[in-house]
Amino acid sequence: MSLINSSTQSEEEIRKEKDSRQAGVFGWLRHNFWGLATLAVVTIICVVIVQMFKKPGQMSVIESQAMDMSAMVPPKGAVPVGIATAERQLIDGSVTYTGTVQAFTDEDIYPRVTGRITAMPVYAGDRVRKGQLLVRLDPTGDSEYSAKREEAASAEDAAMHNSGIAKSEFAQAKYQLEATQEAEQAAQRAVEEAEANLAYWKPEVERQSALLKAQVVSLDEYQKEASELRAAEAKVEQAKAKLRESGKTKLATQAAFEAMLHHIGHQSSAARQAKAVLRNATIYEGYTRIVAQEDGVVTKRVVSPGVVVNPGMLLLKVAHVKQVRIQAEVATEDAAKIHLGDKVYIKGSEDSSDQIAASVTSIFPAADPASRTFTVEALLDNLLSAADSRNAKVGTTAQYRFLPGQYVIMRILTGEQEGLTIPTSAVVWREGKTQVWKAAGGSGSASKVSQYTCVMHPEVITDKPGKCPKCGMDLVPKALGGQKIAELVDVEIGLSNPDSTEIKKGLKEGDEVIFAGFGNLHSGVAVVGTEWGKTGPIRLPLAGEVAGNRLDATNNFIHDEMVGSLMIKVSLSPAKGGSNSVVVNVSKHGGGNVSGARVSIKTSMPGMNNMAGPDLNGTTGNNGEVRLNSDLSSGLWELRLTILAEGQNPVDSTLDVEVP
């Protein structure tokens, strides 16, 4: 009995537990019924909305995760390049080198005497004038050189004084010599007179002696005559004695004169020597003041004031730069083309627009043994005009065009003639060959634009640049050369300069060449011409300028083309992602709409592994137009159109649409 009761009790407990669990589940469901119902309704609504509003080509999260992203490649396009046309024109050949500015002459300042620098009023960069003080050694008026000058001046004064005394004594001796010479002459005349008197009395006495013997005259008369003869003989002896005395006096006076002459010569030499010593002392004192020999610029100061310097020690460097020498190291093959007098254009940098014309004044006759180059030199007036230097501070180097050591650009002309020319930047050298990238195919020219249009209103076409009359935007060239193919061709060049190069073989007039942007080109690559600046394209070409079968903002999402005898106009309306339509208009080439034409369009996205989009189908109405609801999402789409018109062959066309 107890076992039965126990079994019954256990079954009862199990049943109650089961009922309790069931009551809990239903209770929970009853408790959360409305929440579960709301969740289910929201889920259903979301699924319906996604299916209704999912755009063509749009993927779910799972689809996007499963997609092979490596298959996503951009559509084939064209490389933007700078394109120019080969044309015949006058070209001047030139070679361009980096030149160095050299001073016309350099003046190194050395002291010629020992001394301490007490003043150096110039510094590197200062402009100096001829005669301007550069260095002063020792104090003015209080140096050993000034003391030596004063000593030499005193010695010179004394020597000049002694020389003056000697001159006075010389004059006195000269006068005495002249007096003795005159006295000797007087004595000589006295002797002559006495001898003349004696010559008279001798024959007279002899005659009287004969008369006395003949007793014609008396003895007394004879004795008187004899007395006169003896007196005449005595006068002759006396005159001769005086003459001898005068001669000896003259000799003594002449000896004294000669001695005085030697003395005055010695005194004059002493005076000249003293004067030379004074001059040397003055010169040496002048060496304590060092002045500029010519106008120039201080390029270096080696020592400072207060330093004791010795002769031969470099103090300053001064460059004379009123004229400068512009020198370039020119390769052998270019040096052979250059001659004296050839024009040279010099500018401070590659970007400078201010260039100075000069001429080749020297070609060094020997090559540098290290670089194997020749030095070509042009002499240039370096001082700026008053108008150009009016804002420059007086006494500064700003009044000069160039300074020594400065690098400049030298363009040396080597000839001039007319020929077929292209931009020099278009010439490339590969494996010893001269080549040019040629833009083959396409139409139009990047360098000659004949028409301009508006990117928003392509129907606006003018012959001149300006503003669009509809939207006010700047008009752009209607064509930038179209799509072309890069082709590398061998050429033979002639004269060349930094801007243009003569082509002798390999191109003809009107050929289009690529002068910029060809760094990574390969033969056969599609290129499109665009405006090119110093750093690259000024404006990258828009898609519609690269490919003609493309709808985008450049053509206002409108494309017109003629296929056979049909004119097809395709547009996207409105031009935005999401709710849009592809509008196709079909008309005859001679005029008139084509109605009843079957239009089918297959869509795909090239950038997403050609993922297919919706197929569009329709028939043109009486106006030749059909509007196909496309709902294309933003991105690049490819439209493959097929048009079947009654009495016409099927027409196929492929377009790209850049949906914004």
Side-chain angles (χ1 to χ4, degrees):
M1 185 70 179
S2 61
L3 291 172
I4 294 173
N5 293 335
S6 174
S7 176
T8 303
Q9 185 179 1
S10 298
E11 291 177 357
E12 184 68 21
E13 290 176 354
I14 292 171
R15 185 180 59 80
K16 289 182 179 180
E17 183 179 355
K18 184 177 180 181
D19 292 340
S20 176
R21 286 199 302 271
Q22 291 178 350
V25 171
F26 285 110
W28 181 85
L29 289 174
R30 286 194 301 270
H31 180 72
N32 296 286
F33 172 77
W34 292 111
L36 293 173
T38 303
L39 180 61
V41 171
V42 170
T43 302
I44 294 171
I45 293 174
C46 289
V47 172
V48 171
I49 291 175
V50 168
Q51 293 299 322
M52 290 179 61
F53 294 95
K54 180 180 179 182
K55 297 178 181 179
Q58 185 174 347
M59 297 179 294
S60 66
V61 176
I62 296 177
E63 289 175 331
S64 64
Q65 290 176 346
M67 181 179 178
D68 183 8
M69 299 301 292
S70 63
M72 296 181 63
V73 294
K76 183 178 180 180
V79 178
V81 294
I83 297 180
T85 303
E87 54 186 9
R88 298 193 67 84
Q89 61 182 2
L90 190 66
I91 179 174
D92 55 355
S94 67
V95 291
T96 302
Y97 284 91
T98 299
T100 305
V101 180
Q102 303 286 353
F104 184 73
T105 55
D106 290 305
E107 181 182 355
D108 292 341
I109 307 302
Y110 296 94
R112 302 181 68 174
V113 295
T114 300
R116 183 176 63 87
I117 299 177
T118 58
M120 187 180 287
V122 294
Y123 199 73
D126 289 349
R127 181 183 175 190
V128 296
R129 297 284 188 181
K130 181 179 180 179
Q132 180 179 336
L133 177 67
L134 302 178
V135 181
R136 187 172 66 237
L137 304 177
D138 296 339
T140 303
D142 188 18
S143 67
E144 59 175 309
Y145 301 104
S146 61
K148 288 180 180 179
R149 178 185 55 77
E150 292 175 359
E151 180 183 356
S154 299
E156 195 261 350
D157 288 342
M160 292 300 294
H161 178 70
N162 293 334
S163 177
I165 294 175
K167 286 181 180 180
S168 299
E169 292 176 349
F170 171 76
Q172 182 179 356
K174 181 180 179 181
Y175 295 146
Q176 289 178 351
L177 177 60
E178 291 175 353
T180 57
Q181 288 175 343
E182 291 176 358
E184 183 183 24
Q185 291 174 359
Q188 181 65 36
R189 288 193 297 272
V191 169
E192 291 174 354
E193 289 177 1
E195 288 180 344
N197 187 43
L198 177 62
Y200 170 76
W201 287 110
K202 277 185 178 183
E204 183 66 23
V205 171
E206 290 178 356
R207 187 177 64 79
Q208 287 294 332
S209 176
L211 292 176
L212 179 62
K213 289 179 181 181
Q215 296 182 355
V216 176
V217 293
S218 64
L219 179 61
D220 183 51
E221 289 176 337
Y222 170 75
Q223 290 178 342
K224 285 183 180 180
E225 294 287 336
S227 175
E228 290 293 337
L229 176 60
R230 288 192 295 273
E233 290 176 347
K235 285 183 180 180
V236 168
E237 291 298 331
Q238 183 180 3
K240 287 183 178 181
K242 188 142 186 186
L243 177 60
R244 288 193 295 273
E245 180 183 359
S246 298
K248 292 178 181 179
T249 302
K250 186 191 77 169
L251 291 175
T253 305
Q254 187 172 1
F257 174 78
E258 291 176 355
M260 185 55 63
L261 183 63
H262 176 74
H263 177 66
I264 193 173
H266 175 72
Q267 292 297 328
S268 296
S269 297
R272 288 193 298 272
Q273 182 179 2
K275 190 173 183 179
V277 171
L278 174 60
R279 186 167 59 252
N280 287 338
T282 303
I283 291 173
Y284 269 81
E285 185 184 22
Y287 289 158
T288 61
R289 294 184 76 259
I290 304 176
V291 298
Q293 300 302 309
E294 295 290 341
D295 293 355
V297 175
V298 178
T299 59
K300 189 175 183 180
R301 194 174 86 168
V302 181
V303 299
S304 301
V307 177
V308 176
V309 296
N310 297 313
M313 182 183 294
L314 181 63
L315 306 181
L316 294 170
K317 282 182 171 291
V318 177
H320 302 156
V321 291
K322 282 174 130 181
Q323 287 184 312
V324 290
R325 305 179 189 273
I326 311 296
Q327 296 179 348
E329 300 298 324
V330 178
T332 303
E333 56 271 20
D334 290 334
K337 307 174 188 175
I338 301 173
H339 306 87
L340 291 177
D342 285 350
K343 281 287 186 183
V344 180
Y345 293 96
I346 303 166
K347 56 184 180 179
S349 66
E350 190 66 42
D351 298 330
S352 175
S353 59
D354 183 18
Q355 63 179 10
I356 304 101
S359 299
V360 174
T361 55
S362 178
I363 302 174
F364 288 22
D368 184 272
S371 62
R372 307 299 180 187
T373 57
F374 289 84
T375 300
V376 175
E377 181 180 281
L379 194 62
L380 181 68
D381 290 332
N382 196 37
L383 193 62
L384 290 172
S385 63
D388 294 334
S389 61
R390 60 179 179 271
N391 296 325
K393 184 178 179 182
V394 176
T396 66
T397 57
Q399 295 179 327
Y400 296 109
R401 297 182 190 275
F402 304 114
L403 296 176
Q406 182 177 346
Y407 283 94
V408 295
I409 304 297
M410 294 179 65
R411 185 166 70 90
I412 309 170
L413 300 189
T414 57
E416 186 180 53
Q417 66 184 36
E418 184 178 348
L420 184 65
T421 64
I422 63 171
T424 298
S425 59
V427 181
V428 295
W429 286 265
R430 291 190 177 185
E431 300 177 354
K433 295 181 180 179
T434 307
Q435 299 176 316
V436 169
W437 282 104
K438 181 179 175 182
S443 61
S445 170
S447 60
K448 294 183 178 179
V449 177
S450 59
Q451 291 183 326
Y452 294 81
T453 186
C454 176
V455 296
M456 297 301 295
H457 302 92
E459 66 275 11
V460 176
I461 300 175
T462 65
D463 294 332
K464 296 180 180 179
K467 299 287 186 180
C468 175
K470 294 186 177 182
C471 63
M473 294 180 62
D474 290 332
L475 299 180
V476 298
K478 184 178 179 182
L480 293 177
Q483 183 167 318
K484 305 175 188 297
I485 302 300
E487 176 185 350
L488 194 61
V489 297
D490 295 337
V491 296
E492 180 183 336
I493 65 173
L495 294 178
S496 179
N497 59 51
D499 299 321
S500 302
T501 294
E502 179 189 11
I503 300 298
K504 292 187 174 181
K505 291 182 181 179
L507 294 175
K508 63 181 183 297
E509 188 173 3
D511 284 347
E512 292 183 324
V513 298
I514 301 172
F515 68 87
F518 52 74
N520 297 315
L521 282 185
H522 300 281
S523 293
V525 172
V527 295
V528 60
T530 185
E531 300 175 70
W532 209 271
K534 291 183 179 180
T535 59
I538 297 176
R539 179 182 69 87
L540 288 174
L542 299 174
E545 297 170 334
V546 177
N549 60 335
R550 194 180 185 99
L551 298 181
D552 57 23
T554 63
N555 53 25
N556 205 23
F557 293 90
I558 299 174
H559 171 72
D560 291 292
E561 67 174 312
M562 183 178 69
V563 183
S565 61
L566 295 182
M567 296 294 297
I568 303 173
K569 180 178 181 181
V570 183
S571 61
L572 183 68
S573 177
K576 65 178 183 177
S579 179
N580 50 47
S581 299
V582 177
V583 181
V584 181
N585 185 281
V586 183
S587 60
K588 296 179 181 179
H589 181 252
N593 297 323
V594 177
S595 60
R598 291 289 300 169
V599 178
S600 61
I601 302 176
K602 290 186 176 297
T603 65
S604 63
M605 300 189 76
M608 301 185 71
N609 201 22
N610 290 319
M611 185 179 67
D615 291 340
L616 310 178
N617 296 280
T619 304
T620 59
N622 293 331
N623 59 354
E625 182 177 289
V626 60
R627 179 179 292 268
L628 305 175
N629 182 33
S630 54
D631 295 333
L632 300 178
S633 61
S634 299
L636 179 63
W637 288 84
E638 183 182 74
L639 309 181
R640 294 190 298 277
L641 286 78
T642 300
I643 301 175
L644 298 175
E646 185 177 357
Q648 299 287 337
N649 293 325
V651 172
D652 294 321
S653 180
T654 301
L655 300 176
D656 290 335
V657 183
E658 185 70 46
V659 181

